[in-house]
Amino acid sequence: MTLHLAVALDGAGWHPAAWRAEGARPDRLFTLAYWADLVAEAERGLLDFVTFEDALGLQSTRLNEPDERLDQVRGRLDAVLIASGVAPLTSRIGLVPTTGTTHTEPFHVAIGIASLDHISGGRAGWRPQVSGRPDHAAHFGRRVLPPLDFSDRADPAFTRHVAGLLGEAADAVEVVRRLWDSWEDDAEIRDVATGRFVDREKLHYIDFQGDWFSVKGPSITPRPPQGQPLVTSLAHDRQPYEFAARASDVVYVTPRDREDASAVVEQVREAEAATGRAGPPLKVFADLVVFLETGGAADRKARLDDLDGGEFVSDAHVFTGTPEALAGLLLSWREAGLDGFRLRPGELPRDLVAITRGLVPELRAAGAFRTAYDTGDLRGRLGLPRPANRYATAS
Amino acid sequence: MTKQIHLAAHFPGVNSTTVWSDPASGSQIDFESFRHLARTAERGRFDFFFLAEGLRLREAKGRIHDLDVVGRPESLTVLAALAAVTTHLGLAATVNSTFNEPYEVARRLASLDHLSGGRAAWNVVTSFDAFTGENFRRGGFLDESDRYSRAKEFLETARELWDSWAPDAVAADPEAGRFLRPGGVTAFRHQGRHFDISGLFNVPRGPQGHPVIIQAGDSDEGREFAASSADVIFSRHSRLEEGRAFYRDVKRRLAAYGRRPEDLKILPAVTYVLGDTEAEAAERAAEIRRAQVGPQQAIYFLEAVWGRDLSAYDPDGPLPDVEPDLDEGVSRGHAAFRRDRGELVAKWRALAEEKNLSIRELAIEVSAPQTFIGTPRTVADEIDHFVQTDAADGFIFVPHLTPGGLDELVDKVVPLLQEKGVFRAEYTGPTLRDHLGLAHRDPALSEPAAPVPAPRTKENR
């Protein structure tokens, strides 16, 4: 069975000095052509999907406030719009933008991702993300968030704060999912005899009421081609695992090594049991930052570290080595019960090209990666069925 | 001097102009429909392509209105995709200032401006209805009297955000190790009645500086807002005399804001029907009107004015004998009739009496008539006449068919306008501001954007 492979795109790559590397295109970061070229390369490698990072504030090395650095990439375009701009220029690869759940209206997200799914012919996904940053909250002026302090994760105040953000995010996902279902697939009837464009019995109020907001519905956008676009989330801990178990189809996790991967998968399965997850189990993807090269990947990363003035660290495991070695690592970690990997290229386009032209052939040689795209949509590629509409009544 | 005409295309969407029952009517949601219309508009060298918005499905009598097209995609998402399949066409999104926040709207519009290479436009609309608010976190929080003050402050705030990045803020100089130029990004702080926000904006200034601002309000307040802040007015005054009066009124308001008449383009929304002869065009126009106003639509049209369920009446029979219920608003989620409905009913009765009209015939007669009907030659002449005699600077065409509704206009009328020398044969610049003859909003060229210069914070030293 094929291993699933996604790539996470962000700026000039995940290393903060990547924009200074040879072959980088820092002056093109804010153009459609830049993103279209990257996604076309990922599609040439037959990857499952690409993700686009986003946030409602400027990048910062600090947790709760902006920093003063001028030597790293700052600024980014809206991820949904990048994904949508790329959609007509690609044909098979999945497109998974990030949006926030803390400040952004769920209604806008629902129609944006549904529209992306219509435009791309069933290739849309979504990565909901909470924002606990007080500086981002000040961009909206509607609520004041306390600074996040990760130094004591056992502190009840921290746990409560995170639980609140994730609870709100779970409600946002629930609203979005209900809105996607608020139109039955055959709601549009164009019945000339009765003059009716839609059968309004097949349009549904979602009547969501939660602790944070209420949303009436129905959506203004017809049901997306996939029914439910792919929902994905990143998780490092029990609370976000449970959020994923409630809300997501795919969870990105960050194991340190093979052994940790087993432990993490086990925790994900426990979270599924604890939340009473119904439907298909979470697809578990491990995130890795990768610097790939036949000889010299570690040196290259070290040079970037020097440029940036400090060692690059990440929440995910940082791999430096040859495509062949990475293929071996992925196949070994996969034994822990992982469904796939989301690779974060250290440098763009260099490490992306190393994935598509180096890693992919290695995996293929091991019989572990597809040789052609199937004909299905993004959900189908991941082995997920098209969900029945929760509002449809059996006739 | 001969004025140059500006042309825009409106996607035939959720409105009573769009005919969905025609066999040639295609999907209202497939991207192919949007691509075809946008590419046709670009082939015709149009200034821009326009998408409307409605954030709640319309209802009548407490049920979802099902007689017109229902459903549409999110505007900015579609326009970003159209940016990939067009090269010069302006891309205009209607975005509500009531159910959005400035930081998000400003960054999405700036993003579209980058992705399209300077082709973004924003039609700023406001709504105050609790009905639409039920789809949003804040609900229906806004009072009607505050809607323009919110829209105005929203736009001012968005401009402050766009101006917080200098045009050359991104140095992207690997040699010097400098991604941002020192001082290129300044912190914003806006404290006003509707917004109290501060921080750092996260999208570099777009190629146009600010996207083109479109405004559609018609009240005195709306006209004043447009005169102070908009680049384009989407006007509903599509007849010659009322068009001229509107044009004069709005253009004279500009001086008070230090603006020239050419800084604000007035583009009425119009429809068109062509034929090889005048008679053939008139016949087609009548057919289209009958398709737009079917029996059910005619009853619905009257119900909105009567405030009553009229479903028992025969659309091909005389007007209802029952008096209107003036206390009851029937229709929600779209523009309400503001005129005195009692007076309107009396007027319609007199008209129906005089011309012996059925319910449906009356609805056809009094609801949104077509604007330009004729041969390509007479339509081209009429368009030009409107513009040269200051009833408009150009038009926003609202076709009645998806996706082929612009084809004839572009194939038959546009070449005649080009022949006359009143419409561009080729684009002369890459941006929408270029097409409209508007200055780019560069700091050196624009008025001081904010009353108080944004303070530079230590983060940006």
Side-chain angles (χ1 to χ4, degrees):
Chain A
M1 217 173 69
T2 191
L3 184 135
H4 296 291
L5 212 50
V7 160
L9 298 177
D10 187 25
W14 287 74
H15 195 290
W19 69 274
R20 299 166 72 174
E22 200 189 321
R25 302 164 70 196
D27 56 330
R28 307 289 295 156
L29 288 182
F30 306 106
T31 65
L32 178 56
Y34 175 81
W35 297 95
D37 287 352
L38 293 176
V39 179
E41 179 61 34
E43 191 170 67
R44 272 194 291 277
L46 308 184
L47 304 192
D48 289 73
F49 59 89
V50 291
T51 63
F52 304 90
E53 300 299 308
D54 206 354
L56 293 168
L58 208 56
Q59 297 92 327
S60 172
T61 49
R62 298 188 189 140
L63 195 55
N64 289 304
E65 56 182 2
D67 63 16
E68 299 163 19
R69 294 189 73 149
L70 303 172
D71 65 336
Q72 297 183 349
V73 169
R74 294 290 180 267
R76 51 168 38 118
L77 305 182
D78 181 275
V80 175
L81 298 187
I82 292 176
S84 189
V86 168
L89 305 174
T90 52
S91 59
R92 312 309 285 275
I93 193 160
L95 304 166
V96 183
T98 301
T99 76
T101 55
T102 309
H103 306 293
T104 302
E105 289 280 359
F107 194 88
H108 291 316
V109 173
I111 62 178
I113 302 293
S115 300
L116 178 63
D117 206 41
H118 283 289
I119 291 164
S120 64
R123 295 187 282 136
W126 173 37
R127 181 195 164 203
Q129 184 178 38
V130 301
S131 168
R133 295 180 62 110
D135 55 341
H136 293 190
H139 297 159
F140 293 84
R142 301 266 311 281
R143 66 210 282 184
V144 176
L145 293 178
L148 273 176
D149 178 4
F150 283 98
S151 61
D152 185 4
R153 285 168 187 253
D155 179 359
F158 175 85
T159 311
R160 224 172 19 249
H161 182 42
V162 171
L165 290 168
L166 288 171
E168 184 182 24
D171 279 4
V173 176
E174 174 67 15
V175 164
V176 168
R177 286 189 178 282
R178 286 194 199 180
L179 286 169
W180 287 338
D181 274 354
S182 65
W183 285 59
E184 294 185 38
D185 292 321
D186 53 355
E188 185 181 315
I189 52 172
R190 299 197 184 217
D191 186 41
V192 177
T194 58
R196 294 178 305 146
F197 182 79
V198 289
D199 177 355
R200 58 184 161 211
E201 302 304 319
K202 296 188 171 179
L203 301 178
H204 302 276
Y205 296 105
I206 69 165
D207 284 321
F208 179 86
Q209 300 208 316
D211 293 340
W212 290 273
F213 45 79
S214 58
V215 175
K216 178 80 181 170
S219 176
I220 60 162
T221 307
R223 193 166 192 239
Q226 294 183 95
Q228 296 273 317
L230 191 75
V231 179
T232 73
S233 60
L234 174 64
H236 307 93
D237 209 345
R238 185 183 55 84
Q239 283 178 304
Y241 292 150
E242 291 186 357
F243 165 78
R246 285 194 183 92
S248 304
D249 302 302
V250 172
V251 63
Y252 311 119
V253 296
T254 53
R256 293 183 307 273
D257 51 34
R258 163 72 177 77
E259 196 181 332
D260 192 33
S262 295
V264 167
V265 169
E266 196 172 312
Q267 287 166 45
V268 168
R269 300 301 169 214
E270 280 165 15
E272 289 179 326
T275 55
R277 178 181 174 91
L282 278 166
K283 301 285 177 188
V284 186
F285 280 47
D287 269 20
L288 292 147
V289 184
V290 297
F291 297 84
L292 294 180
E293 204 164 321
T294 307
D299 292 346
R300 176 154 62 86
K301 177 184 172 285
R303 280 198 301 278
L304 291 174
D305 286 352
D306 284 346
L307 279 174
D308 195 52
E311 193 193 343
F312 169 66
V313 289
S314 172
D315 56 327
H317 175 69
V318 180
F319 175 89
T320 55
T322 65
E324 191 183 1
L326 180 60
L329 181 146
L330 301 188
L331 293 173
S332 152
W333 285 28
R334 182 195 194 184
E335 301 302 318
L338 295 167
D339 298 286
F341 297 87
R342 184 176 73 147
L343 304 179
R344 308 179 187 174
E347 248 182 75
L348 288 170
R350 186 173 192 154
D351 290 306
L352 171 64
V353 173
I355 290 167
T356 54
R357 302 181 195 188
L359 173 68
V360 162
E362 290 289 343
L363 290 172
R364 215 171 264 152
F369 197 68
R370 68 176 66 86
T371 53
Y373 276 122
D374 47 47
T375 52
D377 58 18
L378 178 56
R379 291 184 68 89
R381 186 169 306 146
L382 290 168
L384 295 168
R386 188 172 194 277
N389 190 321
R390 72 195 67 197
Y391 297 110
T393 45
S395 54
Chain B
M1 199 185 105
T2 313
K3 278 165 76 184
Q4 286 294 304
I5 296 172
H6 298 281
L7 296 179
H10 187 298
F11 181 77
V14 181
N15 56 54
S16 50
T17 302
T18 306
V19 173
W20 53 259
S21 55
D22 192 299
S25 162
S27 170
Q28 294 289 137
I29 190 77
D30 284 356
F31 182 63
E32 277 314 308
S33 294
F34 292 88
R35 186 203 306 252
H36 180 89
L37 276 151
R39 285 192 157 170
T40 306
E42 186 163 86
R43 183 160 59 81
R45 306 295 182 255
F46 276 39
D47 292 66
F48 61 90
F49 182 69
F50 181 95
L51 291 179
E53 183 191 62
L55 294 171
R56 178 145 181 200
L57 298 185
R58 298 185 294 162
E59 291 187 5
K61 293 182 278 186
R63 306 174 71 189
I64 289 162
H65 179 56
D66 57 3
L67 301 176
D68 291 335
V69 167
V70 183
R72 58 178 121 211
E74 200 275 327
S75 300
L76 285 162
T77 310
V78 172
L79 294 177
L82 289 175
V85 297
T86 55
T87 56
H88 287 77
L89 185 67
L91 303 166
T94 303
V95 182
N96 194 300
S97 67
T98 308
F99 302 110
N100 276 294
E101 298 296 330
Y103 196 95
E104 276 187 309
V105 170
R107 76 184 297 267
R108 300 196 84 207
L109 283 158
S111 295
L112 179 64
D113 207 39
H114 281 286
L115 293 170
S116 63
R119 300 189 276 140
W122 172 22
N123 178 34
V124 186
V125 297
T126 55
S127 57
F128 56 90
D129 56 312
F131 174 72
T132 303
E134 285 180 347
N135 280 336
F136 296 94
R137 300 175 70 125
R138 294 181 78 179
F141 65 96
L142 195 65
D143 212 55
E144 180 174 5
S145 60
D146 284 336
R147 63 197 199 112
Y148 275 111
S149 79
R150 174 158 171 120
K152 210 164 181 235
E153 192 178 327
F154 196 112
L155 177 57
E156 281 165 15
T157 309
R159 291 199 195 277
E160 287 162 27
L161 296 173
W162 292 323
D163 286 342
S164 69
W165 284 64
D168 57 353
V170 176
D173 179 354
E175 252 69 283
R178 188 158 273 177
F179 189 81
L180 288 184
R181 190 174 59 75
V185 183
T186 48
F188 67 86
R189 176 162 196 82
H190 179 98
Q191 285 176 294
R193 204 171 131 227
H194 297 278
F195 307 104
D196 181 357
I197 61 174
S198 61
L200 292 167
F201 191 50
N202 74 343
V203 181
R205 191 178 180 84
Q208 294 187 104
H210 296 187
V212 168
I213 302 299
I214 305 174
Q215 214 278 324
D218 193 38
S219 64
D220 189 61
E221 236 182 330
R223 293 179 188 200
E224 211 57 39
F225 176 38
S228 70
S229 314
D231 302 304
V232 171
I233 291 192
F234 183 164
S235 138
R236 67 188 67 170
H237 300 286
S238 57
R239 300 192 197 209
L240 196 61
E241 280 315 316
E242 58 168 1
R244 284 180 186 151
F246 179 78
Y247 193 97
R248 267 195 309 277
D249 177 70
V250 172
K251 296 268 180 173
R252 83 172 160 71
R253 294 174 191 246
L254 288 164
Y257 301 96
R259 305 180 73 200
R260 302 165 304 168
E262 59 270 32
D263 292 341
L264 176 62
K265 305 295 188 227
I266 297 178
L267 308 181
V270 292
T271 58
Y272 78 99
V273 183
L274 300 181
D276 290 339
T277 63
E278 295 296 323
E280 190 195 312
E283 198 177 305
R284 279 186 75 194
E287 263 170 47
I288 292 166
R289 291 298 292 140
R290 284 183 67 76
Q292 286 166 334
V293 187
Q296 297 86 357
Q297 281 94 344
I299 295 292
Y300 170 76
F301 180 76
L302 261 65
E303 282 176 339
V305 176
W306 255 260
R308 288 182 184 283
D309 181 351
L310 302 177
S311 52
Y313 287 86
D314 177 4
D316 295 320
L319 262 53
D321 41 17
V322 65
E323 288 308 307
D325 180 349
L326 298 177
D327 298 327
E328 192 54 39
V330 177
S331 174
R332 299 203 290 178
H334 65 153
F337 282 93
R338 295 190 171 281
R339 274 173 291 179
D340 181 354
R341 290 188 281 127
E343 209 173 277
L344 195 58
V345 168
K347 200 174 121 193
W348 286 0
R349 281 193 168 136
L351 183 68
E353 180 93 2
E354 182 198 326
K355 294 192 172 179
N356 192 26
L357 302 175
S358 68
I359 287 178
R360 187 174 175 196
E361 286 162 344
L362 176 94
I364 287 173
E365 176 101 5
V366 300
S367 66
Q370 287 116 336
T371 322
F372 296 119
I373 304 169
T375 65
R377 174 66 59 191
T378 56
V379 166
D381 288 346
E382 207 179 347
I383 289 171
D384 188 35
H385 181 64
F386 267 70
V387 171
Q388 302 310 334
T389 60
D390 287 349
D393 293 311
F395 297 97
I396 297 180
F397 276 89
V398 187
H400 74 278
L401 273 184
T402 306
L406 274 185
D407 297 356
E408 272 193 310
L409 186 73
V410 165
D411 291 335
K412 297 179 178 170
V413 178
V414 167
L416 298 177
L417 294 173
Q418 289 166 333
E419 231 169 67
K420 281 169 173 283
V422 292
F423 186 66
R424 69 177 72 83
E426 291 301 333
Y427 290 108
T428 52
T431 72
L432 178 54
R433 285 187 178 273
D434 292 334
H435 310 339
L436 289 167
L438 300 167
H440 282 227
R441 294 283 303 212
D442 291 328
L445 302 175
S446 63
E447 278 77 32
V452 184
R456 182 171 304 170
T457 65
K458 64 183 172 65
E459 283 84 26
N460 293 286
R461 211 161 29 212

